[in-house]
């Protein structure tokens, strides 16, 4: 494994690192994605959102990603 990749463990998987000793800094990030859904899935949308038994799928994914 590449020793310069500080957030990757010896198996190549992402891992947490201790940043307790660092000074806080402000960082901004911008992301964009394009999601292509099959017609059958698009038919389940209501106003652009897909509702599953546990709630709106996209809104839940956004919260989980934050």
């Amino acid at each position: 494994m590449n020793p310069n990749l500080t957030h990757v463990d010896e198996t190549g998987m992402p891992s947490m690192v201790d940043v307790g000793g660092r000074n806080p800094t402000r960082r901004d990030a911008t992301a964009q994605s394009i999601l292509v859904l099959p017609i059958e899935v698009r038919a389940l949308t209501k106003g652009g959102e897909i509702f599953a038994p546990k709630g709106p799928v996209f809104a839940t994914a956004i919260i989980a990603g934050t």
Side-chain angles (χ1 to χ4, degrees):
M1 196 56 29
N2 185 333
N4 296 321
L5 301 176
T6 58
H7 290 69
V8 178
D9 69 17
E10 58 278 350
T11 66
M13 297 300 293
S15 64
M16 297 294 290
V17 296
D18 183 4
V19 295
R22 293 187 181 170
N23 291 326
T25 59
R26 177 173 171 83
R27 297 179 183 193
D28 294 305
T30 302
Q32 180 179 352
S33 66
I34 296 173
L35 180 62
V36 179
L37 301 172
I39 293 172
E40 298 83 11
V41 174
R42 288 196 312 253
L44 300 173
T45 65
K46 298 175 186 172
E49 181 62 88
I50 298 172
F51 287 86
K54 293 187 176 185
V57 173
F58 295 138
T60 303
I62 290 168
I63 292 169
T66 324

